[in-house]
Amino acid sequence: MIRSHCFIFLVACFSALVSPAGDSGWVLLFGSRDCDECQAAKEQWRQDFQPGKDPVLVFLEIENNANYQLLNKIEKLLPQSEKAYAFPVFLVGNRLLPDVDSLYELEEEELLRLAAKPMELPELSSLRQAVQQAEQVVISWEASAVAAVEPAKADGRTVYLLYFLQKSCAKCSRQQKELELLQEQMPGLELTRYDISTMQGQAMLSRARRLLHLPEDFQNPAPMICWAEGYINGRLASAEELKTALLFSSAEPFWLDPLTQDELQAERQHQEHALKAFSLGMIILAGLGDGFNPCAFATSVFLIGYLLYLKRSRREIALVGAGFCIGVFCTYLLFGLGLSFLIDFLNRMLWLKITIYAVFGVAGLYLCFGHLRDAFRFRRTGKASTFSLGLSIETHRRIHDHIRRLTDKRSWLMFPSSLLLGGIVSSLELACTGQVYLPTLAAINAHGLNARALLLLLLYNLFFILPLALLTVLAICGVEAKGMAQWARKHVFASKIGLAVFFAAISLLMFWLILKSAF
Protein backbone atom coordinates (compact mmCIF):
# COMPACT_ATOMS: atom_id res chain seq x y z
CA MET A 1 0.00 0.00 0.00
CA ILE A 2 2.79 2.39 0.94
CA ARG A 3 4.65 1.63 -2.31
CA SER A 4 1.46 2.27 -4.26
CA HIS A 5 1.04 5.72 -2.65
CA CYS A 6 4.70 6.58 -3.30
CA PHE A 7 4.35 5.59 -6.95
CA ILE A 8 1.29 7.81 -7.36
CA PHE A 9 3.10 10.71 -5.68
CA LEU A 10 6.13 10.36 -7.99
CA VAL A 11 3.92 10.22 -11.07
CA ALA A 12 2.13 13.40 -9.93
CA CYS A 13 5.44 15.18 -9.38
CA PHE A 14 6.77 14.08 -12.78
CA SER A 15 3.55 15.24 -14.46
CA ALA A 16 3.85 18.63 -12.80
CA LEU A 17 7.43 18.96 -14.05
CA VAL A 18 6.75 18.06 -17.65
CA SER A 19 3.36 19.79 -18.00
CA PRO A 20 3.39 23.36 -19.30
CA ALA A 21 2.92 25.97 -16.59
CA GLY A 22 0.17 27.56 -18.62
CA ASP A 23 -2.13 24.54 -18.34
CA SER A 24 -3.80 26.14 -15.32
CA GLY A 25 -4.75 29.08 -17.50
CA TRP A 26 -5.06 32.70 -16.54
CA VAL A 27 -7.43 35.47 -15.48
CA LEU A 28 -7.25 38.91 -17.10
CA LEU A 29 -7.49 41.96 -14.87
CA PHE A 30 -8.22 45.24 -16.67
CA GLY A 31 -7.50 48.22 -14.42
CA SER A 32 -5.70 51.52 -14.02
CA ARG A 33 -2.30 51.92 -12.43
CA ASP A 34 -3.74 53.91 -9.50
CA CYS A 35 -6.69 51.58 -8.86
CA ASP A 36 -6.71 50.53 -5.17
CA GLU A 37 -9.04 47.59 -5.80
CA CYS A 38 -6.67 46.31 -8.50
CA GLN A 39 -3.78 46.34 -6.06
CA ALA A 40 -5.89 44.58 -3.43
CA ALA A 41 -6.92 41.90 -5.95
CA LYS A 42 -3.27 41.29 -6.84
CA GLU A 43 -2.24 40.94 -3.20
CA GLN A 44 -5.10 38.55 -2.49
CA TRP A 45 -4.18 36.47 -5.55
CA ARG A 46 -0.58 36.15 -4.36
CA GLN A 47 -1.80 34.90 -0.98
CA ASP A 48 -4.31 32.38 -2.38
CA PHE A 49 -2.42 30.88 -5.34
CA GLN A 50 1.01 29.45 -6.14
CA PRO A 51 3.23 30.01 -9.21
CA GLY A 52 3.37 27.11 -11.65
CA LYS A 53 0.42 25.38 -10.06
CA ASP A 54 -2.52 27.80 -10.17
CA PRO A 55 -3.90 30.28 -12.73
CA VAL A 56 -1.89 33.43 -13.34
CA LEU A 57 -3.51 36.82 -12.80
CA VAL A 58 -2.60 38.96 -15.82
CA PHE A 59 -2.82 42.72 -15.27
CA LEU A 60 -3.50 44.97 -18.28
CA GLU A 61 -3.29 48.73 -17.73
CA ILE A 62 -6.19 50.46 -19.45
CA GLU A 63 -4.01 53.56 -19.86
CA ASN A 64 -2.57 51.61 -22.78
CA ASN A 65 -5.05 52.06 -25.65
CA ALA A 66 -4.36 48.57 -27.04
CA ASN A 67 -5.35 47.04 -23.69
CA TYR A 68 -8.49 49.13 -23.51
CA GLN A 69 -9.48 48.32 -27.10
CA LEU A 70 -8.99 44.64 -26.27
CA LEU A 71 -11.47 45.02 -23.41
CA ASN A 72 -13.95 46.68 -25.76
CA LYS A 73 -13.58 43.86 -28.27
CA ILE A 74 -14.12 41.23 -25.56
CA GLU A 75 -17.23 43.03 -24.36
CA LYS A 76 -18.67 42.98 -27.88
CA LEU A 77 -17.95 39.26 -28.24
CA LEU A 78 -19.52 38.47 -24.86
CA PRO A 79 -22.95 40.14 -24.97
CA GLN A 80 -24.28 41.42 -21.67
CA SER A 81 -26.87 43.91 -20.49
CA GLU A 82 -24.39 46.79 -20.32
CA LYS A 83 -20.68 47.48 -20.09
CA ALA A 84 -18.95 47.69 -16.75
CA TYR A 85 -18.73 51.38 -15.88
CA ALA A 86 -15.70 51.23 -13.58
CA PHE A 87 -12.47 49.33 -13.04
CA PRO A 88 -11.33 46.67 -12.30
CA VAL A 89 -12.93 44.32 -14.84
CA PHE A 90 -12.01 40.60 -14.87
CA LEU A 91 -12.11 38.06 -17.68
CA VAL A 92 -12.30 34.50 -16.29
CA GLY A 93 -12.49 32.02 -19.15
CA ASN A 94 -15.30 33.39 -21.28
CA ARG A 95 -17.01 35.22 -18.44
CA LEU A 96 -16.66 38.96 -17.78
CA LEU A 97 -16.89 40.05 -14.14
CA PRO A 98 -17.52 43.79 -13.56
CA ASP A 99 -15.92 44.13 -10.11
CA VAL A 100 -13.85 42.49 -7.38
CA ASP A 101 -16.91 41.30 -5.48
CA SER A 102 -18.07 39.28 -8.50
CA LEU A 103 -14.67 37.57 -8.60
CA TYR A 104 -14.75 36.74 -4.88
CA GLU A 105 -18.25 35.31 -5.22
CA LEU A 106 -16.96 32.56 -7.54
CA GLU A 107 -16.31 29.23 -5.87
CA GLU A 108 -12.62 28.26 -6.13
CA GLU A 109 -13.50 25.12 -8.09
CA GLU A 110 -15.47 27.15 -10.63
CA LEU A 111 -12.74 29.79 -10.85
CA LEU A 112 -10.09 27.14 -11.60
CA ARG A 113 -12.33 25.45 -14.16
CA LEU A 114 -13.06 28.70 -16.04
CA ALA A 115 -9.46 29.93 -15.89
CA ALA A 116 -8.17 26.64 -17.36
CA LYS A 117 -10.13 27.36 -20.57
CA PRO A 118 -9.18 30.94 -21.46
CA MET A 119 -10.84 32.82 -24.28
CA GLU A 120 -9.20 32.36 -27.69
CA LEU A 121 -8.39 35.61 -29.48
CA PRO A 122 -5.61 36.55 -31.95
CA GLU A 123 -4.56 39.37 -29.63
CA LEU A 124 -3.99 36.82 -26.84
CA SER A 125 -1.84 34.46 -28.91
CA SER A 126 1.40 35.52 -27.24
CA LEU A 127 -0.09 35.44 -23.74
CA ARG A 128 0.17 31.65 -23.28
CA GLN A 129 3.93 31.75 -23.69
CA ALA A 130 4.20 34.68 -21.26
CA VAL A 131 2.15 32.76 -18.68
CA GLN A 132 4.19 29.57 -19.13
CA GLN A 133 7.40 31.49 -18.56
CA ALA A 134 6.01 33.43 -15.60
CA GLU A 135 7.79 32.92 -12.29
CA GLN A 136 5.13 34.84 -10.39
CA VAL A 137 1.43 34.20 -9.98
CA VAL A 138 0.67 37.85 -10.91
CA ILE A 139 2.18 39.42 -14.03
CA SER A 140 1.67 42.53 -16.16
CA TRP A 141 1.19 42.22 -19.90
CA GLU A 142 0.54 44.42 -22.90
CA ALA A 143 -1.93 43.40 -25.61
CA SER A 144 -1.06 43.59 -29.28
CA ALA A 145 -2.78 46.37 -31.20
CA VAL A 146 -6.44 45.74 -31.93
CA ALA A 147 -7.61 46.66 -35.40
CA ALA A 148 -8.39 50.36 -35.14
CA VAL A 149 -11.81 51.68 -35.98
CA GLU A 150 -11.82 53.82 -39.09
CA PRO A 151 -12.01 57.54 -38.23
CA ALA A 152 -15.28 59.16 -39.20
CA LYS A 153 -15.06 60.84 -42.56
CA ALA A 154 -14.46 64.54 -42.10
CA ASP A 155 -17.30 66.62 -43.48
CA GLY A 156 -15.75 69.99 -42.70
CA ARG A 157 -17.72 70.63 -39.52
CA THR A 158 -16.81 70.57 -35.85
CA VAL A 159 -18.90 68.47 -33.46
CA TYR A 160 -19.35 69.21 -29.77
CA LEU A 161 -19.88 67.26 -26.57
CA LEU A 162 -20.42 68.39 -23.00
CA TYR A 163 -19.02 66.15 -20.25
CA PHE A 164 -20.06 66.44 -16.58
CA LEU A 165 -17.60 64.68 -14.30
CA GLN A 166 -16.58 64.60 -10.67
CA LYS A 167 -13.17 64.10 -9.08
CA SER A 168 -12.55 60.65 -7.56
CA CYS A 169 -15.52 59.27 -9.50
CA ALA A 170 -14.95 55.58 -10.36
CA LYS A 171 -17.49 55.70 -13.18
CA CYS A 172 -15.77 58.74 -14.70
CA SER A 173 -12.47 56.90 -15.23
CA ARG A 174 -14.07 54.42 -17.66
CA GLN A 175 -16.09 57.12 -19.38
CA GLN A 176 -12.93 59.15 -19.95
CA LYS A 177 -11.38 56.25 -21.88
CA GLU A 178 -14.45 56.04 -24.14
CA LEU A 179 -14.15 59.75 -24.85
CA GLU A 180 -10.47 59.36 -25.74
CA LEU A 181 -11.42 56.64 -28.22
CA LEU A 182 -14.12 58.89 -29.64
CA GLN A 183 -11.65 61.73 -30.12
CA GLU A 184 -9.39 59.36 -32.08
CA GLN A 185 -12.31 58.40 -34.30
CA MET A 186 -13.68 61.94 -34.69
CA PRO A 187 -10.80 64.40 -35.11
CA GLY A 188 -13.27 67.29 -35.34
CA LEU A 189 -14.66 66.68 -31.83
CA GLU A 190 -14.48 69.51 -29.27
CA LEU A 191 -15.07 68.25 -25.73
CA THR A 192 -16.07 70.66 -22.95
CA ARG A 193 -15.67 69.42 -19.37
CA TYR A 194 -17.38 70.66 -16.20
CA ASP A 195 -16.71 69.36 -12.69
CA ILE A 196 -20.07 69.27 -10.86
CA SER A 197 -18.34 69.80 -7.51
CA THR A 198 -17.63 73.43 -8.57
CA MET A 199 -20.00 76.40 -8.71
CA GLN A 200 -19.47 76.69 -12.48
CA GLY A 201 -20.25 73.00 -12.94
CA GLN A 202 -23.48 73.28 -10.98
CA ALA A 203 -24.50 76.41 -12.89
CA MET A 204 -23.94 74.68 -16.25
CA LEU A 205 -25.80 71.62 -14.95
CA SER A 206 -28.75 73.88 -14.11
CA ARG A 207 -28.68 75.20 -17.69
CA ALA A 208 -28.60 71.62 -19.03
CA ARG A 209 -31.40 70.63 -16.67
CA ARG A 210 -33.55 73.44 -18.03
CA LEU A 211 -32.83 73.02 -21.74
CA LEU A 212 -32.82 69.21 -21.83
CA HIS A 213 -35.87 68.97 -19.53
CA LEU A 214 -34.12 66.85 -16.92
CA PRO A 215 -36.11 65.70 -13.86
CA GLU A 216 -36.20 68.06 -10.88
CA ASP A 217 -34.57 65.47 -8.58
CA PHE A 218 -31.65 65.14 -11.01
CA GLN A 219 -28.81 66.11 -8.65
CA ASN A 220 -25.61 64.13 -9.14
CA PRO A 221 -25.41 62.81 -12.70
CA ALA A 222 -21.64 62.26 -13.06
CA PRO A 223 -20.60 60.98 -15.47
CA MET A 224 -23.02 62.53 -17.93
CA ILE A 225 -22.49 63.21 -21.64
CA CYS A 226 -24.62 65.83 -23.41
CA TRP A 227 -25.01 66.82 -27.02
CA ALA A 228 -27.31 69.58 -28.27
CA GLU A 229 -30.44 67.40 -28.43
CA GLY A 230 -29.88 64.75 -25.75
CA TYR A 231 -27.78 63.18 -23.03
CA ILE A 232 -26.65 59.85 -21.51
CA ASN A 233 -26.13 59.30 -17.80
CA GLY A 234 -26.42 56.49 -15.30
CA ARG A 235 -24.43 54.12 -17.53
CA LEU A 236 -21.37 54.05 -19.72
CA ALA A 237 -21.78 56.01 -22.95
CA SER A 238 -19.79 54.08 -25.56
CA ALA A 239 -17.78 55.78 -28.28
CA GLU A 240 -19.94 54.10 -30.95
CA GLU A 241 -23.29 55.41 -29.71
CA LEU A 242 -21.90 58.88 -29.09
CA LYS A 243 -20.49 58.95 -32.61
CA THR A 244 -23.90 57.97 -34.00
CA ALA A 245 -25.64 60.69 -31.96
CA LEU A 246 -23.16 63.35 -33.10
CA LEU A 247 -23.44 62.45 -36.77
CA PHE A 248 -27.15 63.33 -36.60
CA SER A 249 -26.76 66.35 -34.29
CA SER A 250 -27.36 69.71 -35.95
CA ALA A 251 -28.55 72.09 -33.19
CA GLU A 252 -26.31 74.78 -31.70
CA PRO A 253 -24.57 73.54 -28.51
CA PHE A 254 -26.01 75.42 -25.54
CA TRP A 255 -22.81 75.26 -23.46
CA LEU A 256 -20.66 77.30 -25.87
CA ASP A 257 -22.14 80.55 -24.50
CA PRO A 258 -20.19 81.49 -21.35
CA LEU A 259 -21.97 81.33 -18.01
CA THR A 260 -23.46 84.70 -17.09
CA GLN A 261 -23.18 86.40 -13.72
CA ASP A 262 -26.93 85.98 -13.31
CA GLU A 263 -26.61 82.20 -13.71
CA LEU A 264 -23.75 82.01 -11.24
CA GLN A 265 -25.61 84.20 -8.75
CA ALA A 266 -28.76 82.10 -9.11
CA GLU A 267 -26.77 78.93 -8.45
CA ARG A 268 -25.07 80.54 -5.46
CA GLN A 269 -28.45 81.53 -4.01
CA HIS A 270 -29.81 78.05 -4.69
CA GLN A 271 -26.93 76.46 -2.76
CA GLU A 272 -27.31 78.92 0.10
CA HIS A 273 -31.04 78.16 0.27
CA ALA A 274 -30.29 74.42 0.34
CA LEU A 275 -27.68 75.02 3.05
CA LYS A 276 -30.16 77.02 5.12
CA ALA A 277 -32.79 74.29 4.81
CA PHE A 278 -30.16 71.72 5.81
CA SER A 279 -29.00 73.94 8.69
CA LEU A 280 -32.55 74.35 10.02
CA GLY A 281 -33.20 70.61 10.09
CA MET A 282 -29.74 69.90 11.48
CA ILE A 283 -30.13 72.48 14.27
CA ILE A 284 -33.52 71.06 15.31
CA LEU A 285 -32.08 67.54 15.38
CA ALA A 286 -28.94 68.80 17.16
CA GLY A 287 -30.95 70.47 19.93
CA LEU A 288 -33.21 67.44 20.34
CA GLY A 289 -30.28 65.03 20.23
CA ASP A 290 -28.35 67.13 22.77
CA GLY A 291 -31.39 67.00 25.06
CA PHE A 292 -31.39 63.20 24.81
CA ASN A 293 -27.62 63.15 25.32
CA PRO A 294 -26.95 60.55 28.07
CA CYS A 295 -25.25 63.26 30.18
CA ALA A 296 -28.25 65.63 30.18
CA PHE A 297 -30.94 62.97 30.13
CA ALA A 298 -29.48 61.01 33.05
CA THR A 299 -29.39 64.20 35.15
CA SER A 300 -33.02 64.99 34.27
CA VAL A 301 -34.11 61.46 35.21
CA PHE A 302 -32.25 61.73 38.53
CA LEU A 303 -33.96 65.08 39.30
CA ILE A 304 -37.45 63.71 38.61
CA GLY A 305 -36.65 60.46 40.41
CA TYR A 306 -35.45 62.32 43.51
CA LEU A 307 -38.60 64.44 43.61
CA LEU A 308 -40.70 61.27 43.43
CA TYR A 309 -38.54 59.71 46.17
CA LEU A 310 -39.30 62.73 48.39
CA LYS A 311 -43.01 62.11 47.64
CA ARG A 312 -43.50 65.60 46.30
CA SER A 313 -46.94 66.47 45.01
CA ARG A 314 -47.73 66.82 41.32
CA ARG A 315 -47.93 70.58 41.77
CA GLU A 316 -44.44 70.69 43.33
CA ILE A 317 -43.00 68.44 40.60
CA ALA A 318 -44.50 70.76 37.98
CA LEU A 319 -43.06 73.79 39.80
CA VAL A 320 -39.55 72.33 40.08
CA GLY A 321 -39.63 70.95 36.53
CA ALA A 322 -40.73 74.30 35.08
CA GLY A 323 -38.12 76.24 37.07
CA PHE A 324 -35.38 73.80 36.13
CA CYS A 325 -36.32 73.99 32.41
CA ILE A 326 -36.30 77.79 32.48
CA GLY A 327 -32.99 77.85 34.36
CA VAL A 328 -31.34 75.49 31.88
CA PHE A 329 -32.82 77.38 28.91
CA CYS A 330 -31.67 80.81 30.11
CA THR A 331 -28.19 79.64 31.09
CA TYR A 332 -27.65 77.79 27.84
CA LEU A 333 -28.99 80.75 25.86
CA LEU A 334 -26.61 83.15 27.64
CA PHE A 335 -23.67 80.83 26.96
CA GLY A 336 -24.76 80.64 23.33
CA LEU A 337 -25.06 84.42 22.97
CA GLY A 338 -21.63 85.02 24.46
CA LEU A 339 -19.99 82.39 22.25
CA SER A 340 -21.90 83.69 19.20
CA PHE A 341 -20.48 87.20 19.69
CA LEU A 342 -17.00 85.69 20.01
CA ILE A 343 -17.39 83.54 16.89
CA ASP A 344 -18.80 86.50 14.93
CA PHE A 345 -15.81 88.64 15.95
CA LEU A 346 -13.31 85.95 14.98
CA ASN A 347 -15.10 85.27 11.67
CA ARG A 348 -14.24 88.76 10.46
CA MET A 349 -10.67 87.59 9.83
CA LEU A 350 -10.78 85.14 6.90
CA TRP A 351 -7.75 83.06 7.93
CA LEU A 352 -9.07 82.78 11.49
CA LYS A 353 -12.56 81.92 10.22
CA ILE A 354 -11.14 79.09 8.10
CA THR A 355 -9.06 77.94 11.09
CA ILE A 356 -12.17 77.79 13.30
CA TYR A 357 -14.06 75.76 10.70
CA ALA A 358 -11.06 73.44 10.30
CA VAL A 359 -10.81 72.92 14.08
CA PHE A 360 -14.52 72.12 14.37
CA GLY A 361 -14.34 69.92 11.27
CA VAL A 362 -11.50 67.83 12.73
CA ALA A 363 -13.14 67.86 16.17
CA GLY A 364 -16.37 66.63 14.57
CA LEU A 365 -14.57 63.64 13.08
CA TYR A 366 -12.88 62.91 16.42
CA LEU A 367 -16.19 63.09 18.30
CA CYS A 368 -17.92 61.00 15.63
CA PHE A 369 -15.47 58.14 16.13
CA GLY A 370 -15.44 58.71 19.90
CA HIS A 371 -19.21 58.31 20.21
CA LEU A 372 -19.14 55.26 17.93
CA ARG A 373 -16.52 53.74 20.22
CA ASP A 374 -18.60 54.56 23.32
CA ALA A 375 -21.70 53.07 21.69
CA PHE A 376 -20.06 49.72 21.04
CA ARG A 377 -18.34 49.72 24.43
CA PHE A 378 -21.72 50.19 26.10
CA ARG A 379 -23.27 47.44 23.97
CA ARG A 380 -20.46 45.11 25.07
CA THR A 381 -20.24 46.04 28.77
CA GLY A 382 -23.60 47.65 29.55
CA LYS A 383 -21.77 50.24 31.70
CA ALA A 384 -21.99 53.99 31.15
CA SER A 385 -18.78 54.36 33.16
CA THR A 386 -16.84 53.15 30.10
CA PHE A 387 -17.74 56.32 28.16
CA SER A 388 -14.70 58.33 27.13
CA LEU A 389 -16.79 61.38 26.11
CA GLY A 390 -19.13 61.60 29.10
CA LEU A 391 -18.96 63.49 32.39
CA SER A 392 -16.57 62.31 35.07
CA ILE A 393 -17.85 60.50 38.15
CA GLU A 394 -16.84 63.49 40.27
CA THR A 395 -18.94 65.87 38.13
CA HIS A 396 -21.93 63.51 38.35
CA ARG A 397 -21.54 63.46 42.15
CA ARG A 398 -21.44 67.26 42.35
CA ILE A 399 -24.57 67.54 40.17
CA HIS A 400 -26.46 65.06 42.35
CA ASP A 401 -25.36 66.90 45.53
CA HIS A 402 -26.72 70.18 44.14
CA ILE A 403 -30.02 68.51 43.20
CA ARG A 404 -30.45 67.03 46.71
CA ARG A 405 -29.60 70.29 48.45
CA LEU A 406 -31.70 72.65 46.32
CA THR A 407 -34.82 70.48 45.98
CA ASP A 408 -35.16 69.92 49.73
CA LYS A 409 -36.74 73.33 50.29
CA ARG A 410 -40.04 74.69 51.39
CA SER A 411 -42.72 74.97 48.75
CA TRP A 412 -42.40 78.74 48.23
CA LEU A 413 -38.61 78.43 47.67
CA MET A 414 -38.88 75.59 45.19
CA PHE A 415 -39.24 77.69 42.06
CA PRO A 416 -36.26 80.06 42.65
CA SER A 417 -34.18 77.08 43.86
CA SER A 418 -34.96 75.11 40.71
CA LEU A 419 -34.05 78.15 38.58
CA LEU A 420 -30.67 78.30 40.32
CA LEU A 421 -30.34 74.53 40.03
CA GLY A 422 -30.92 74.69 36.27
CA GLY A 423 -28.15 77.26 35.91
CA ILE A 424 -25.67 75.30 38.03
CA VAL A 425 -26.36 71.92 36.43
CA SER A 426 -26.28 73.20 32.83
CA SER A 427 -22.94 74.92 33.58
CA LEU A 428 -21.46 71.70 34.95
CA GLU A 429 -22.83 69.67 32.03
CA LEU A 430 -21.42 72.03 29.42
CA ALA A 431 -18.23 69.93 29.23
CA CYS A 432 -20.37 67.11 27.82
CA THR A 433 -23.28 68.83 26.08
CA GLY A 434 -20.96 71.52 24.70
CA GLN A 435 -19.59 68.91 22.31
CA VAL A 436 -22.78 69.42 20.31
CA TYR A 437 -23.41 73.06 21.20
CA LEU A 438 -20.11 74.59 20.05
CA PRO A 439 -19.98 73.25 16.46
CA THR A 440 -23.70 74.00 16.12
CA LEU A 441 -23.01 77.61 17.10
CA ALA A 442 -20.30 77.77 14.42
CA ALA A 443 -22.85 76.60 11.84
CA ILE A 444 -25.51 79.03 13.11
CA ASN A 445 -23.14 82.00 12.82
CA ALA A 446 -21.62 81.00 9.46
CA HIS A 447 -23.32 84.01 7.80
CA GLY A 448 -22.79 86.42 10.69
CA LEU A 449 -24.61 87.25 13.92
CA ASN A 450 -27.99 88.43 12.63
CA ALA A 451 -31.68 88.03 13.43
CA ARG A 452 -31.79 84.62 11.73
CA ALA A 453 -28.84 83.39 13.81
CA LEU A 454 -30.56 84.51 17.03
CA LEU A 455 -33.80 82.75 16.04
CA LEU A 456 -31.86 79.55 15.28
CA LEU A 457 -30.17 79.84 18.67
CA LEU A 458 -33.55 80.12 20.38
CA LEU A 459 -34.84 77.18 18.35
CA TYR A 460 -31.88 75.01 19.37
CA ASN A 461 -32.41 75.72 23.05
CA LEU A 462 -36.16 75.10 22.88
CA PHE A 463 -35.55 71.65 21.42
CA PHE A 464 -32.74 71.08 23.93
CA ILE A 465 -35.09 71.40 26.90
CA LEU A 466 -37.94 69.51 25.19
CA PRO A 467 -36.88 66.08 26.58
CA LEU A 468 -36.69 67.54 30.10
CA ALA A 469 -40.14 69.10 29.73
CA LEU A 470 -41.46 65.76 28.49
CA LEU A 471 -39.98 63.97 31.52
CA THR A 472 -41.68 66.48 33.82
CA VAL A 473 -45.06 65.91 32.14
CA LEU A 474 -44.63 62.12 32.39
CA ALA A 475 -43.79 62.40 36.10
CA ILE A 476 -46.88 64.54 36.70
CA CYS A 477 -48.95 61.89 34.91
CA GLY A 478 -47.63 59.22 37.27
CA VAL A 479 -44.84 57.53 35.29
CA GLU A 480 -42.13 56.31 37.65
CA ALA A 481 -38.53 57.41 37.28
CA LYS A 482 -37.42 53.78 37.18
CA GLY A 483 -39.30 53.27 33.93
CA MET A 484 -37.75 56.44 32.49
CA ALA A 485 -34.27 55.27 33.49
CA GLN A 486 -34.84 51.86 31.89
CA TRP A 487 -36.05 53.52 28.70
CA ALA A 488 -33.00 55.81 28.68
CA ARG A 489 -30.66 52.88 29.27
CA LYS A 490 -32.30 50.88 26.49
CA HIS A 491 -31.67 53.71 24.02
CA VAL A 492 -28.12 54.71 25.02
CA PHE A 493 -26.66 52.85 22.04
CA ALA A 494 -29.07 54.53 19.60
CA SER A 495 -28.41 57.97 21.08
CA LYS A 496 -24.66 57.51 20.78
CA ILE A 497 -25.00 56.39 17.16
CA GLY A 498 -27.22 59.43 16.52
CA LEU A 499 -24.56 61.72 18.00
CA ALA A 500 -21.92 60.08 15.81
CA VAL A 501 -24.04 60.73 12.71
CA PHE A 502 -24.60 64.32 13.82
CA PHE A 503 -20.87 64.98 14.28
CA ALA A 504 -20.14 63.45 10.88
CA ALA A 505 -22.70 65.86 9.33
CA ILE A 506 -21.22 68.81 11.27
CA SER A 507 -17.74 67.89 10.07
CA LEU A 508 -18.88 67.77 6.45
CA LEU A 509 -20.64 71.13 6.87
CA MET A 510 -17.49 72.71 8.35
CA PHE A 511 -15.32 71.50 5.47
CA TRP A 512 -17.93 72.74 2.98
CA LEU A 513 -17.84 76.17 4.67
CA ILE A 514 -14.03 76.17 4.37
CA LEU A 515 -14.27 75.58 0.61
CA LYS A 516 -16.94 78.25 0.27
CA SER A 517 -14.94 80.79 2.29
CA ALA A 518 -11.65 80.08 0.53
CA PHE A 519 -12.96 79.94 -3.03
Side-chain angles (χ1 to χ4, degrees):
M1 180 69 72
I2 295 175
R3 289 181 180 179
S4 176
H5 283 309
C6 291
F7 176 75
I8 293 171
F9 174 73
L10 290 172
V11 170
C13 291
F14 179 77
S15 300
L17 289 171
V18 300
S19 299
D23 283 355
S24 297
W26 60 78
V27 172
L28 300 187
L29 163 57
F30 293 91
S32 59
R33 61 176 65 99
D34 56 352
C35 164
D36 292 335
E37 287 189 331
C38 300
Q39 299 305 321
K42 293 180 191 177
E43 290 301 319
Q44 190 65 44
W45 201 273
R46 292 187 182 100
Q47 294 175 21
D48 294 345
F49 298 107
Q50 300 176 19
K53 178 182 177 183
D54 293 315
V56 173
L57 183 66
V58 182
F59 177 61
L60 295 93
E61 282 188 7
I62 53 89
E63 284 81 5
N64 181 314
N65 276 344
N67 291 341
Y68 186 70
Q69 288 173 356
L70 174 61
L71 174 60
N72 270 336
K73 180 174 181 178
I74 291 171
E75 287 177 325
K76 290 176 185 175
L77 293 171
L78 300 175
Q80 49 192 357
S81 57
E82 60 182 47
K83 292 184 176 182
Y85 54 73
F87 297 104
V89 177
F90 297 86
L91 177 67
V92 187
N94 61 351
R95 188 183 299 181
L96 269 175
L97 305 177
D99 50 46
V100 173
D101 290 340
S102 301
L103 181 71
Y104 292 160
E105 287 169 4
L106 283 179
E107 296 291 339
E108 184 173 346
E109 182 180 346
E110 184 180 14
L111 174 64
L112 296 175
R113 179 178 59 80
L114 290 170
K117 297 180 180 180
M119 191 174 182
E120 296 290 340
L121 283 176
E123 292 82 9
L124 299 176
S125 58
S126 63
L127 179 57
R128 180 173 294 277
Q129 184 179 0
V131 169
Q132 289 175 349
Q133 295 174 351
E135 297 179 357
Q136 302 293 329
V137 76
V138 177
I139 64 172
S140 295
W141 185 73
E142 300 293 341
S144 56
V146 178
V149 178
E150 287 290 332
K153 292 182 180 179
D155 58 1
R157 71 186 182 102
T158 303
V159 291
Y160 302 90
L161 272 183
L162 173 63
Y163 178 32
F164 289 106
L165 69 152
Q166 190 172 18
K167 290 180 180 177
S168 303
C169 165
K171 297 180 182 180
C172 299
S173 61
R174 177 77 194 265
Q175 186 62 71
Q176 180 61 38
K177 290 301 298 181
E178 288 293 322
L179 291 172
E180 289 174 11
L181 284 181
L182 182 63
Q183 286 181 311
E184 289 181 8
Q185 298 169 23
M186 301 188 76
L189 173 66
E190 284 194 10
L191 183 64
T192 303
R193 295 176 175 86
Y194 275 97
D195 186 340
I196 63 169
S197 62
T198 64
M199 184 69 69
Q200 289 78 9
Q202 285 294 319
M204 183 55 73
L205 181 59
S206 294
R207 184 190 289 184
R209 185 184 290 113
R210 184 178 69 256
L211 296 176
L212 295 176
H213 308 291
L214 300 176
E216 287 297 323
D217 58 351
F218 199 77
Q219 298 298 325
N220 189 355
M224 173 170 150
I225 310 296
C226 299
W227 56 98
E229 299 89 352
Y231 66 95
I232 295 175
N233 87 292
R235 62 175 178 83
L236 184 69
S238 69
E240 288 79 4
E241 63 181 323
L242 290 174
K243 183 166 62 174
T244 302
L246 289 172
L247 289 175
F248 293 98
S249 177
S250 57
E252 188 69 19
F254 59 82
W255 57 90
L256 295 185
D257 294 330
L259 289 166
T260 65
Q261 287 301 317
D262 288 342
E263 286 178 303
L264 291 171
Q265 182 62 26
E267 186 58 37
R268 194 173 291 110
Q269 290 175 352
H270 173 74
Q271 291 193 16
E272 288 179 358
H273 177 74
L275 177 63
K276 288 177 181 178
F278 169 76
S279 299
L280 180 63
M282 186 187 69
I283 286 161
I284 291 173
L285 290 174
L288 196 59
D290 203 8
F292 280 108
N293 188 324
C295 303
F297 200 78
T299 300
S300 304
V301 170
F302 180 81
L303 170 65
I304 299 299
Y306 191 67
L307 292 173
L308 293 172
Y309 169 76
L310 294 176
K311 300 187 184 302
R312 297 292 187 181
S313 66
R314 293 184 179 182
R315 175 181 171 278
E316 290 174 326
I317 291 174
L319 201 64
V320 171
F324 188 74
C325 285
I326 294 171
V328 170
F329 178 83
C330 292
T331 305
Y332 238 58
L333 185 62
L334 288 174
F335 272 123
L337 284 171
L339 290 168
S340 293
F341 279 109
L342 178 61
I343 291 172
D344 183 60
F345 173 75
L346 297 176
N347 279 349
R348 295 172 188 174
M349 293 173 278
L350 180 61
W351 68 270
L352 197 53
K353 179 179 181 178
I354 293 174
T355 302
I356 291 171
Y357 291 153
V359 168
F360 282 127
V362 173
L365 290 176
Y366 170 77
L367 292 169
C368 171
F369 289 113
H371 282 289
L372 282 175
R373 183 179 61 231
D374 284 352
F376 287 102
R377 278 182 182 174
F378 183 81
R379 170 171 277 189
R380 187 175 66 253
T381 64
K383 297 178 181 179
S385 57
T386 60
F387 290 166
S388 59
L389 296 177
L391 293 175
S392 66
I393 296 175
E394 176 62 23
T395 304
H396 275 296
R397 186 190 62 76
R398 290 171 61 192
I399 289 174
H400 290 178
D401 285 346
H402 285 301
I403 289 174
R404 290 189 184 97
R405 187 167 63 254
L406 292 173
T407 52
D408 192 17
K409 301 292 180 183
R410 293 181 180 179
S411 183
W412 64 275
L413 285 175
M414 276 193 165
F415 186 75
S417 297
S418 60
L419 281 174
L420 178 62
L421 181 63
I424 294 172
V425 169
S426 57
S427 301
L428 291 172
E429 285 182 342
L430 196 62
C432 180
T433 56
Q435 297 169 8
V436 179
Y437 202 21
L438 284 173
T440 305
L441 286 172
I444 287 174
N445 293 282
H447 300 288
L449 184 59
N450 48 35
R452 180 178 179 274
L454 293 176
L455 288 173
L456 290 175
L457 182 61
L458 285 169
L459 189 67
Y460 177 94
N461 283 281
L462 284 171
F463 277 89
F464 175 70
I465 65 166
L466 187 61
L468 175 58
L470 181 62
L471 284 180
T472 304
V473 172
L474 290 174
I476 294 170
C477 294
V479 178
E480 294 185 357
K482 184 178 180 181
M484 299 178 193
Q486 289 175 344
W487 182 89
R489 185 179 183 81
K490 183 179 178 182
H491 292 84
V492 165
F493 179 79
S495 66
K496 282 286 184 179
I497 294 294
L499 284 171
V501 172
F502 164 77
F503 284 119
I506 275 287
S507 185
L508 289 173
L509 178 61
M510 293 295 111
F511 291 132
W512 189 90
L513 289 172
I514 289 174
L515 291 174
K516 185 181 176 186
S517 300
F519 304 104

